[in-house]
Amino acid sequence: MKVIIVGGVAGGASCAARLRRLDEKAEIVLVERGPYVSYANCGLPYHVGDVIEKESSLLVSNEQVFRAIFAVDCRTRCEAVAISPKEKTVQLKNHATGEVTTESYDKLVLSPGAAPIRPPLPGIDLPGIFTVRTVPDAREIRNWLERTPTELPEEGASSGFAPLDKAKRAVVVGGGYVGLEMAENLAHRGLEVTIVEMLDQVMAPLDPECARLVERHLEKHGVRLALGDAVAGFEQKENGTLEVQTKSGKAYPADLVILAIGVRPETALAKAAGLELGQRGGIRVDEHMRTSDPDILAVGDAVEVKDFVTGEWTLIPLAGPANRQGRIAADVIAGRDSRFRGTQGTSVLGLFGATVAMTGANEKLLKRLGQTDYEKVYLFPNSHAGYYPGAKTLVLKVLFRKSDGRLLGAQAMGQDGVEKRIDAIAMAIQMGGTVYDLEEAELCYAPQYGSAKDPVNFAGMVPADVLRGDMPLGHWDTLDGAFLLDVRNPPEIAVEAVPGAVNIPLPALRARLAELPKDREILVICRSAVRAYYATRILLGNGFKARNVSGGMSSRSMIVAKQRA
Amino acid sequence: MKVIIVGGVAGGASCAARLRRLDEKAEIVLVERGPYVSYANCGLPYHVGDVIEKESSLLVSNEQVFRAIFAVDCRTRCEAVAISPKEKTVQLKNHATGEVTTESYDKLVLSPGAAPIRPPLPGIDLPGIFTVRTVPDAREIRNWLERTPTELPEEGASSGFAPLDKAKRAVVVGGGYVGLEMAENLAHRGLEVTIVEMLDQVMAPLDPECARLVERHLEKHGVRLALGDAVAGFEQKENGTLEVQTKSGKAYPADLVILAIGVRPETALAKAAGLELGQRGGIRVDEHMRTSDPDILAVGDAVEVKDFVTGEWTLIPLAGPANRQGRIAADVIAGRDSRFRGTQGTSVLGLFGATVAMTGANEKLLKRLGQTDYEKVYLFPNSHAGYYPGAKTLVLKVLFRKSDGRLLGAQAMGQDGVEKRIDAIAMAIQMGGTVYDLEEAELCYAPQYGSAKDPVNFAGMVPADVLRGDMPLGHWDTLDGAFLLDVRNPPEIAVEAVPGAVNIPLPALRARLAELPKDREILVICRSAVRAYYATRILLGNGFKARNVSGGMSSRSMIVAKQRA
């Protein structure tokens, strides 16, 4: 059996190594267009930022290892330029020699990845505008940042582009994962960074009110945000800098521009071969990673996968799923019944000492799908026991089905213990878990690590209280004209009050019930909805109609700020 | 309805607060023998170590809060001294006044906790010997450590016990959680610490080879270990110090002794009331936390619970389960159908910058129960991507059922990202997950947090390889006379070789297969069993019989060292 694998990074490299382990005799050819296989593209921004100092650190494996240990015919600088599914052949172009050869296959695996989007804007090809996908990309950015006049080839003369002593200002186009990681790393190197983002929020996988916290965090660390604005073009100025011009008419000077608008599945080869593509523009595969041609499989960023939670087709360019898909493709080629269960979009971002993580569906997606059988809660627990030094507030948004408590998704932000809560919730979602399962979760507790009631437990307890009817829920964006009761203490209210809210501090509530209306629904507010929960229970237990405003003042600052913006 | 709750720490306090939320009208009496309710006893060692500086930090809630917010008749220094289940009354002794009153109840909840074991050894009551259970205990230890002559009451004169300038040497009796946390905190304060432990390992919930790593870590940080030796008695020396004498005839001088031998459920009250106790010495309850008397419930460290994995009765004195049980007891009293699903013993310990965590069954327990349908693997993955700075090796032992891959338990040690892997595995165990589920887990990955294949994925992939027959497994303790093939490189072997093993480095293996026997089973060794896995696949694919020695040299250093010791 001869297997050709096109693309040698996460999905392709995993597939090649796994296939060799399953079949000692197969002929395996791994071709990679670029100079390296199996490199750490998730590390590129950190190499630009000098956090990962050596470029060689990014090279997780190499051609020689694939040859010596996996007996894989590994060819770099070799590009698959055409497929003939009928003849079961691939045309391979050797970029070193320019030679094109035709090779036959029994099975073909496509792992071409996704390419950074590079819109055809005026000036897009000017020097100083970079994308971040490959090791050479990172090298070029580093060279650009460290350039000295002599190192700049022909530049001064041919383009009128004067060399800089040192890049001082960067514009990052796009506020997604790569954009934010690049922003942090460029700031880390001392550059002033502006992010231009077409959407009115950074990090599209987050709901906007959660993204607002990330935006504040960026601003706090000196990153300037231009949200809701798109780049119109780039211009080269006489003083040797670039100017990024936006549709709203603004102009941002830049010594360096990073294009991180997103990625597009590399489907040209598949399309030309007549393989079926999906509505989202990726290669269509079944759960065995087989394309519409049963002898051609596809994996990684180029394929559409099923969203595990919603069942929708989606594009998830993440390394974890790519690796698993590569393994599954190898299994299937080796005759095994492995299936990809879909993806739940678990992801994490580190940003100036904070962590943002998420798993499952967000509320935007549920709304877009027209789903109404869901509820959400906002929580602000401590990262570990408050009595042990160093506890930080975690922000958690949990989405769950109203009808049965099934977990749909979670978003978390904070400085400590963020991703481990999302990991536990991701595992629960994978297992079809409910909020009741989180309620009963038994996780590691010692005061420096968590709390006897872990944030994950709260992420179950609070929704369960809602679903059992113990805590009817209110939300800031749907309060319209309700009776508002603020149970915080006067000094807290002096700092920030909710217009129109009546104040009765929680400890005084039972004695002052007569001041409250029995015929109106009372929406109860406190700082983070814990005291308001107690108050809601007191009110319900005394015959009042009451709801707890989820997340209290803490979520208000996310939601109301976003509405104003 | 009148409910009396005996014991105001984790279980009792949770029960009182929850019950009030469920029933605004119930009369709730919470009695606590000590001076404080709802305090953080998990923080006591860290208060002794001055990590938690203020005693007040340990007081998570207080009598006033329970009265004002929860309308609970909260009484500290009030002890339940007798129960009459027939008359449904409790005798309560007020320690401030000495007065004993009789109170009736409709429902009674016992949350008396567990008391540190204080064996009747000679000298056990000498000054300077402490247990660590309550806030006053911690205060006394701190005072003792900081004592000056004038602060010592009567001491010099009456007992001949001369005051010290400063305690310099501590003996901790018992190498469990509290013992190790006290050892760390006393070392943190500059004391020389010796741990005397009757068992031949510290941390009984760990398997011995895993405990060995903890022991090495303790020794590396200057803690002396006297394992397999029990205390015979204590003596007061003329120079003002104590001497801890052991059964093996050794004597350890000490300015301070911590008794952390373990805890015993406080069952005297329950026993006197005729309530059923279990074989393990705890109060017997059903899944609704009801004792043999349907109007008396019991929660927390005093009750026996079902081990979620093995179904065996067990005593698990942990705060998380105690809190959940308190909530469940409240639910049941309020007429709800809440059930305790059992405990899986998830726990974590911080120790001199390292973390040790575990969940589910250990191998010792499986062996004791006579189970044979299990297998184990040892793994040594990186805490996060190796190409990002700061990655540390994690040690993972995973236990799973051979017949169906069901997860049984896991133990983990390392400096970073330890407890989050155990949390994810704990969640999988709770949901009845298998190693195949871990294989497919989609967890947070960015290079500073994990790897595209997370250690949790490896904890599934390696067992799944075993169960699918792709990787027959060998273990160091059952190698007897097998053909050993070491596929490491010569420089590694120069550092430490396995006697009798033949060396063929992995990259040379395919070319040198003729040197290996076809008629014998080949046990393959490398550093951490990754290269040996590749080699095993090469051998199996070429018609050899081969097994991979789980954990390679890394697990050998745990297992062989333990056997020698």
Side-chain angles (χ1 to χ4, degrees):
Chain A
M1 180 168 61
K2 180 172 176 185
V3 179
I4 299 180
I5 301 168
V6 176
V9 195
S14 292
C15 183
R18 171 91 179 149
L19 184 58
R20 171 57 69 226
R21 291 197 295 270
L22 296 180
D23 186 344
E24 181 67 10
K25 303 301 173 198
E27 184 184 349
I28 305 172
V29 181
L30 177 64
V31 302
E32 163 59 39
R33 184 169 52 181
Y36 305 113
V37 291
S38 199
Y39 62 87
N41 47 11
C42 303
L44 298 174
Y46 300 95
H47 181 45
V48 171
D50 234 11
V51 177
I52 298 171
E53 290 176 24
K54 289 187 194 162
E55 185 181 289
S56 61
S57 302
L58 297 171
L59 307 175
V60 176
S61 189
N62 61 52
E63 218 172 318
Q64 288 66 44
V65 167
F66 272 89
R67 290 181 182 276
I69 294 182
F70 298 113
V72 165
D73 180 357
C74 182
R75 310 178 195 171
T76 54
R77 293 195 176 84
C78 177
E79 184 172 3
V81 290
I83 304 168
S84 170
K86 214 169 153 185
E87 288 155 25
K88 297 179 76 169
T89 59
V90 188
Q91 282 184 38
L92 301 176
K93 180 172 183 181
N94 181 330
H95 281 295
T97 63
E99 194 189 3
V100 176
T101 54
T102 300
E103 295 236 13
S104 68
Y105 63 78
D106 294 301
K107 297 283 178 189
L108 177 67
V109 179
L110 300 179
S111 180
I117 294 170
R118 219 183 154 93
L121 295 170
I124 188 87
D125 292 322
L126 284 170
I129 303 179
F130 300 93
T131 55
V132 191
R133 189 195 185 191
T134 64
V135 173
D137 288 346
R139 191 188 302 152
E140 280 176 29
I141 299 169
R142 284 174 64 102
N143 285 345
W144 184 263
L145 289 169
E146 289 154 15
R147 73 201 149 136
T148 58
T150 53
E151 285 171 355
L152 287 174
E154 307 175 30
E155 187 181 44
S158 66
S159 68
F161 195 88
L164 292 168
D165 281 347
K166 200 170 185 298
K168 290 188 181 67
R169 293 157 303 179
V171 169
V172 174
V173 186
Y177 286 87
V178 174
L180 297 192
E181 287 177 344
M182 284 306 301
E184 179 185 17
N185 278 288
L186 292 171
H188 183 70
R189 286 189 71 135
L191 278 81
E192 280 181 17
V193 181
T194 302
I195 295 174
V196 179
E197 164 63 54
M198 198 165 56
L199 300 177
D200 62 354
Q201 69 166 85
V202 298
M203 290 190 82
L206 286 179
D207 285 321
E209 76 281 15
C210 296
R212 185 71 195 94
L213 296 177
V214 179
E215 290 154 15
R216 268 187 221 156
H217 188 68
L218 284 163
E219 286 168 337
K220 198 175 122 193
H221 287 85
V223 175
R224 295 171 199 179
L225 296 178
L227 301 181
D229 200 1
V231 172
F234 305 91
E235 209 170 283
Q236 185 179 303
K237 307 307 269 189
E238 285 187 10
N239 63 358
T241 64
L242 291 163
E243 186 178 86
V244 181
Q245 298 156 342
T246 69
K247 291 203 173 141
S248 76
K250 297 215 176 74
Y252 300 94
D255 304 319
L256 171 80
V257 173
I258 301 293
L259 287 181
I261 308 172
V263 294
R264 187 175 284 146
E266 292 253 28
T267 54
L269 194 64
K271 199 173 171 184
L275 299 179
E276 188 189 341
L277 303 186
Q279 309 107 305
R280 310 293 304 268
I283 303 171
R284 171 71 81 236
V285 290
D286 65 11
E287 59 186 350
H288 300 294
M289 308 314 298
R290 290 181 303 215
T291 67
S292 53
D293 180 316
D295 293 319
I296 305 179
L297 296 88
V299 302
D301 296 357
V303 305
E304 288 189 11
V305 291
K306 279 278 173 74
D307 181 310
F308 178 76
V309 175
T310 64
E312 298 286 307
W313 288 107
T314 183
L315 290 166
I316 301 270
L318 290 172
N323 272 284
R324 279 204 303 292
Q325 292 162 12
R327 288 170 59 86
I328 289 166
D331 283 1
V332 169
I333 291 171
R336 301 189 174 198
D337 184 36
S338 292
R339 291 154 200 259
F340 186 63
R341 68 175 178 91
T343 180
Q344 53 194 78
T346 309
S347 59
V348 62
L349 176 81
L351 199 63
F352 296 108
T355 299
V356 190
M358 69 207 75
T359 188
N362 60 32
E363 190 177 2
K364 286 190 296 189
L365 175 63
L366 296 175
K367 279 185 178 160
R368 194 162 67 230
L369 297 174
Q371 297 197 11
T372 55
D373 181 16
Y374 77 88
E375 181 55 283
K376 62 184 166 188
V377 295
Y378 298 94
L379 305 167
F380 301 87
N382 275 328
S383 57
H384 64 244
Y387 64 83
Y388 189 94
K392 308 282 181 192
T393 300
L394 272 181
V395 181
L396 260 173
K397 178 179 184 177
V398 183
L399 292 151
F400 53 98
R401 274 213 299 249
K402 274 193 288 191
S403 53
D404 61 2
R406 182 90 168 236
L407 286 161
L408 298 175
Q411 296 161 54
M413 284 136 285
Q415 288 175 265
D416 184 42
V418 175
E419 87 283 5
K420 75 175 185 176
R421 273 63 190 224
I422 291 297
D423 279 350
I425 294 173
M427 183 61 75
I429 288 179
Q430 176 186 347
M431 303 298 294
T434 64
V435 299
Y436 310 110
D437 293 313
L438 296 191
E439 212 180 5
E440 296 188 354
E442 194 181 313
L443 303 176
C444 290
Y445 165 53
Q448 62 274 55
Y449 298 98
S451 295
K453 289 171 196 153
D454 192 87
V456 172
N457 296 126
F458 281 117
M461 287 159 62
V462 175
D465 283 334
V466 174
L467 294 183
R468 293 191 187 107
D470 293 336
M471 189 178 82
L473 210 58
H475 291 294
W476 285 107
D477 43 10
T478 53
L479 295 186
D480 8 286
F483 185 95
L484 296 180
L485 171 66
D486 191 331
V487 297
R488 292 178 299 157
N489 296 320
E492 299 174 84
I493 290 176
V495 175
E496 189 187 10
V498 178
V502 168
N503 177 226
I504 303 178
L506 175 62
L509 183 59
R510 283 192 185 83
R512 293 174 59 183
L513 289 173
E515 299 172 31
L516 296 170
K518 282 246 169 180
D519 56 342
R520 285 179 70 186
E521 195 159 49
I522 300 168
L523 280 148
V524 192
I525 301 160
C526 68
R527 184 174 58 84
S528 63
V530 175
R531 283 171 291 173
Y533 166 46
Y534 300 159
T536 301
R537 292 304 307 160
I538 292 171
L539 292 172
L540 293 172
N542 285 284
F544 291 85
K545 280 174 282 187
R547 286 195 279 151
N548 183 2
V549 179
S550 186
M553 298 302 288
S554 300
S555 70
R556 182 171 186 266
S557 73
M558 297 159 65
I559 293 159
V560 176
K562 194 73 201 178
Q563 284 178 329
R564 277 187 206 140
Chain B
M1 179 167 65
K2 181 172 176 183
V3 179
I4 299 179
I5 300 168
V6 176
V9 196
S14 291
C15 183
R18 171 91 179 150
L19 184 59
R20 171 57 69 225
R21 291 197 295 270
L22 296 180
D23 186 344
E24 182 66 12
K25 303 301 172 196
E27 184 184 349
I28 305 172
V29 182
L30 178 64
V31 303
E32 164 58 41
R33 183 169 52 181
Y36 305 113
V37 290
S38 198
Y39 62 87
N41 47 13
C42 303
L44 297 173
Y46 301 94
H47 181 46
V48 170
D50 233 10
V51 176
I52 298 170
E53 288 175 23
K54 288 188 195 164
E55 186 179 288
S56 60
S57 301
L58 297 171
L59 307 176
V60 176
S61 189
N62 61 53
E63 217 171 321
Q64 288 66 43
V65 167
F66 273 89
R67 290 181 183 278
I69 294 184
F70 298 112
V72 165
D73 180 358
C74 182
R75 310 177 193 171
T76 54
R77 295 196 176 84
C78 177
E79 184 172 2
V81 291
I83 304 167
S84 170
K86 215 170 154 186
E87 289 156 24
K88 296 178 76 169
T89 59
V90 188
Q91 282 184 39
L92 300 176
K93 181 170 181 181
N94 180 330
H95 281 296
T97 63
E99 192 189 4
V100 175
T101 54
T102 300
E103 295 238 15
S104 67
Y105 62 80
D106 294 302
K107 297 285 178 188
L108 178 67
V109 179
L110 301 179
S111 180
I117 295 169
R118 220 184 153 93
L121 295 169
I124 188 87
D125 292 322
L126 285 170
I129 303 179
F130 300 94
T131 56
V132 191
R133 189 195 185 193
T134 64
V135 174
D137 288 346
R139 192 188 302 152
E140 280 175 31
I141 298 169
R142 282 174 65 101
N143 285 344
W144 184 263
L145 289 169
E146 289 153 13
R147 73 200 149 135
T148 57
T150 53
E151 285 170 357
L152 287 175
E154 307 176 28
E155 185 182 46
S158 66
S159 68
F161 195 88
L164 292 169
D165 281 345
K166 199 169 186 300
K168 289 187 183 68
R169 293 157 304 180
V171 169
V172 174
V173 186
Y177 286 87
V178 175
L180 297 193
E181 287 177 344
M182 285 305 300
E184 178 184 18
N185 278 288
L186 292 170
H188 184 70
R189 288 190 67 136
L191 279 81
E192 281 181 17
V193 181
T194 302
I195 296 174
V196 178
E197 165 62 55
M198 198 164 59
L199 300 177
D200 61 356
Q201 68 167 84
V202 298
M203 292 189 82
L206 286 179
D207 286 321
E209 76 281 16
C210 297
R212 185 71 195 92
L213 295 177
V214 179
E215 290 154 15
R216 270 187 220 155
H217 188 69
L218 284 162
E219 285 168 337
K220 197 176 121 192
H221 286 85
V223 175
R224 294 171 200 182
L225 296 177
L227 302 181
D229 200 1
V231 172
F234 306 90
E235 208 170 284
Q236 186 179 302
K237 307 307 272 188
E238 285 189 8
N239 63 356
T241 65
L242 290 163
E243 186 177 85
V244 181
Q245 298 157 343
T246 69
K247 291 204 173 138
S248 75
K250 297 215 175 73
Y252 299 93
D255 303 320
L256 171 80
V257 173
I258 302 292
L259 287 180
I261 308 174
V263 295
R264 188 175 283 146
E266 292 256 26
T267 54
L269 194 63
K271 198 172 173 184
L275 299 179
E276 188 188 342
L277 303 186
Q279 309 108 305
R280 311 292 304 268
I283 302 172
R284 171 72 81 235
V285 290
D286 64 12
E287 57 186 352
H288 300 293
M289 308 314 298
R290 290 182 302 216
T291 67
S292 53
D293 180 315
D295 293 319
I296 305 179
L297 296 87
V299 301
D301 296 357
V303 306
E304 288 188 11
V305 291
K306 279 277 172 76
D307 180 312
F308 178 76
V309 175
T310 64
E312 298 287 306
W313 288 108
T314 183
L315 291 165
I316 300 271
L318 291 172
N323 272 283
R324 278 205 303 292
Q325 293 162 10
R327 286 171 60 87
I328 288 167
D331 282 1
V332 169
I333 291 170
R336 300 189 176 198
D337 184 36
S338 292
R339 292 154 199 257
F340 186 64
R341 69 174 177 94
T343 181
Q344 53 193 78
T346 309
S347 59
V348 62
L349 175 81
L351 200 63
F352 296 109
T355 298
V356 189
M358 69 207 77
T359 187
N362 60 31
E363 191 177 1
K364 286 191 296 190
L365 176 62
L366 295 175
K367 279 186 178 160
R368 194 163 67 232
L369 297 175
Q371 296 196 10
T372 55
D373 181 15
Y374 78 88
E375 182 53 282
K376 63 184 166 189
V377 294
Y378 298 93
L379 306 167
F380 302 87
N382 276 329
S383 57
H384 65 243
Y387 65 81
Y388 190 94
K392 308 282 182 191
T393 300
L394 272 180
V395 181
L396 260 172
K397 178 179 183 177
V398 183
L399 293 151
F400 53 98
R401 274 213 299 249
K402 276 194 286 190
S403 53
D404 60 3
R406 182 89 170 236
L407 286 162
L408 298 174
Q411 298 162 53
M413 285 136 282
Q415 287 174 265
D416 184 40
V418 175
E419 87 283 5
K420 75 174 183 175
R421 270 65 189 224
I422 292 296
D423 280 351
I425 294 174
M427 184 60 75
I429 289 179
Q430 175 185 347
M431 302 298 294
T434 63
V435 298
Y436 309 111
D437 294 313
L438 296 191
E439 212 179 6
E440 296 188 355
E442 195 181 313
L443 305 176
C444 290
Y445 164 55
Q448 62 275 55
Y449 299 98
S451 296
K453 290 170 195 155
D454 193 87
V456 172
N457 296 126
F458 281 118
M461 287 160 63
V462 176
D465 283 335
V466 174
L467 295 183
R468 294 193 186 105
D470 293 336
M471 189 179 81
L473 211 59
H475 291 294
W476 285 107
D477 43 11
T478 52
L479 294 187
D480 7 286
F483 184 95
L484 296 181
L485 170 66
D486 192 330
V487 296
R488 292 179 297 155
N489 296 321
E492 298 175 84
I493 291 176
V495 175
E496 190 187 8
V498 179
V502 168
N503 176 226
I504 303 178
L506 175 62
L509 184 58
R510 282 193 185 84
R512 293 175 59 184
L513 288 173
E515 299 173 30
L516 295 170
K518 280 246 170 182
D519 55 341
R520 284 180 71 185
E521 194 159 52
I522 300 168
L523 280 148
V524 192
I525 301 161
C526 69
R527 183 175 58 84
S528 63
V530 175
R531 283 171 289 172
Y533 166 48
Y534 300 158
T536 301
R537 292 304 307 160
I538 292 172
L539 291 172
L540 293 173
N542 284 285
F544 291 85
K545 280 175 281 186
R547 285 195 280 151
N548 182 1
V549 179
S550 185
M553 298 303 289
S554 299
S555 70
R556 182 170 187 266
S557 74
M558 298 158 65
I559 293 159
V560 176
K562 194 72 202 179
Q563 285 177 329
R564 276 187 205 138

